[in-house]
Amino acid sequence: MPAIDVQNLTKFYGPARGIIDISFSVEQGEIMGFLGPNGSGKTTTMRMLTCFFPPTSGTARICGYDIHEDPIEVRRRIGYLPESVPLYRDMPVFSYLHFFAEVKGISRSKRKVKVDEAMERCGLTDVSHRLIGKLSKGFRQRVGIAQALLNDPEILILDEPTVGLDPKQIIDIRSLIKELGKTQTVILSTHILPEVSMTCDRVIIIHEGRLVAVDTPANLMKRLQQTPQVVIRAEGPQGEMQRALEKVEGVVSVELRMRHSGADCFQVAMQEDAPAVNGLARAICDGGWRLHEIRPADMSLEEIFIQLVTEEQGVTGA
């Protein structure tokens, strides 16, 4: 049974679109990235999954519990970090987490243990007595995540967890999310492309309230890349090398991408199943030039996202 099972979820705010007919599932122990630009419907989806407000139609099951029929059971199994974390800046970290442990119904005898565990997991033990308002943004995000962990949730829902952080803080939060993913199912919404590729097992792409794709970045690349491509980096006369590569059997096109460390990088598109890789290497060696590297050319997540969104706009605009 999936940890999260979403079926035909739709939300309208009066005549305004929230999300339209979204369905997907998240397996137990998976880190799923929910990717889309601002205003695409990510937060709307997160709020329905956490029973913050009901959908217009459709439903979702969290750990087997329906968001309509069992909202209390759903909430018990979820830890939620909203985009704007509700922190009381004049409270020490320890007191704030104790307060939320009480709000979440954790018994008095277990509160200290649960608070200590959450602080340990989130790297907050050394700042436990500092006022939240005196912490950096990165540490305040950690406090928000620790709050979400207090009730030992089976599922963590994190809405834009690295927004507003500096590069070091982003790296720290990414590492924390990966660590949490070893024991919890995580769904992570973001509009930042590297966030997904560096953190998540699979990606959901949403655009203008509609689901565009659900898959691993690698599978999306295979689906979208119409011809096999390789990158070849070699040192020699640029024009001569390009012409030599273009003559190799099975080569469709050769595009100069950049020059790096004294060598030129070419992206070579080939016919399906064409045995061109050996021919490419031979063309460089036969020319007396130095071959630095030859490898498959992967689409970046950014390229995948742009292509999928462009295709979706073409469909909805037709």
Side-chain angles (χ1 to χ4, degrees):
M1 181 180 65
I4 301 172
D5 186 24
V6 176
Q7 295 295 327
N8 307 113
L9 210 58
T10 296
K11 180 68 177 180
F12 281 92
Y13 304 96
R17 180 272 304 161
I19 60 171
I20 301 171
D21 197 30
I22 284 183
S23 298
F24 63 88
S25 63
V26 183
E27 299 302 320
Q28 295 184 16
E30 187 174 29
I31 301 179
M32 175 71 87
F34 204 60
L35 176 66
N38 290 331
S40 61
K42 301 188 304 297
T43 295
T44 294
T45 306
M46 301 296 100
R47 289 178 175 175
M48 285 188 286
L49 294 182
T50 56
C51 303
F52 187 82
F53 52 53
T56 303
S57 62
T59 192
R61 299 184 76 85
I62 308 295
C63 301
Y65 293 96
D66 190 279
I67 60 172
H68 296 291
E69 299 173 2
D70 301 294
I72 300 301
E73 291 299 328
V74 168
R75 290 188 182 108
R76 284 174 178 159
R77 285 157 176 80
I78 283 177
Y80 179 42
L81 178 76
E83 183 176 357
S84 299
V85 186
L87 297 175
Y88 302 135
R89 300 169 70 92
D90 58 347
M91 292 181 72
V93 172
F94 186 80
S95 299
Y96 171 85
L97 293 175
H98 263 271
F99 169 72
F100 265 90
E102 183 177 358
V103 169
K104 289 172 181 277
I106 297 171
S107 65
R108 183 184 296 272
S109 62
K110 294 182 179 179
R111 280 177 210 159
K112 185 178 186 306
V113 172
K114 294 299 182 185
V115 168
D116 287 346
E117 286 177 354
M119 289 195 301
E120 177 68 27
R121 292 186 72 183
C122 295
L124 293 168
T125 304
D126 291 342
V127 297
S128 62
H129 295 290
R130 290 184 59 184
L131 294 178
I132 292 173
K134 300 292 186 182
L135 298 177
S136 67
K137 180 71 183 295
F139 270 102
R140 292 200 299 272
Q141 287 293 87
R142 287 173 178 267
V143 174
I145 296 173
Q147 170 272 132
L149 288 170
L150 286 169
N151 57 324
D152 289 328
E154 296 171 55
I155 294 171
L156 277 175
I157 296 181
L158 310 177
D159 194 0
E160 301 279 5
T162 61
V163 68
L165 302 185
D166 66 35
K168 183 181 184 306
Q169 292 168 340
I170 289 173
I171 292 170
D172 289 343
I173 294 297
R174 280 180 191 156
S175 298
L176 174 59
I177 292 169
K178 284 183 177 180
E179 189 64 30
L180 295 174
K182 294 177 181 178
T183 54
Q184 264 102 6
T185 300
V186 180
I187 183 166
L188 160 72
S189 82
T190 183
H191 65 280
I192 303 171
L193 293 164
E195 207 68 61
V196 173
S197 59
M198 295 182 183
T199 311
C200 303
D201 303 311
R202 285 194 300 149
V203 55
I204 297 167
I205 297 179
I206 184 173
H207 180 63
E208 294 185 351
R210 296 181 184 273
L211 197 69
V212 177
V214 183
D215 213 330
T216 65
N219 285 343
L220 288 172
M221 181 195 71
K222 290 176 184 176
R223 193 177 96 194
L224 295 176
Q225 193 162 281
Q226 297 179 350
T227 59
Q229 300 194 31
V230 298
V231 170
I232 186 164
R233 188 161 61 94
E235 190 173 342
Q238 185 184 99
E240 291 182 36
M241 288 194 297
Q242 183 163 351
R243 286 189 291 273
L245 294 173
E246 289 170 343
K247 293 177 182 177
V248 174
E249 182 181 357
V251 168
V252 176
S253 65
V254 179
E255 180 184 351
L256 178 66
R257 300 303 298 267
M258 62 179 176
R259 187 169 180 81
H260 176 65
S261 300
D264 292 302
C265 286
F266 300 94
Q267 185 152 328
V268 182
M270 301 176 296
Q271 295 172 1
E272 193 71 37
D273 299 324
V277 174
N278 289 339
L280 295 172
R282 192 178 303 113
I284 295 298
C285 294
D286 288 350
W289 308 311
R290 183 179 178 187
L291 178 63
H292 288 253
E293 177 186 28
I294 186 166
R295 60 176 173 80
D298 296 335
M299 291 177 72
S300 69
L301 187 58
E302 185 173 32
E303 290 170 323
I304 292 170
F305 178 77
I306 290 170
Q307 185 166 331
L308 285 168
V309 167
T310 301
E311 289 176 359
E312 176 71 11
Q313 286 173 331
V315 171
T316 58

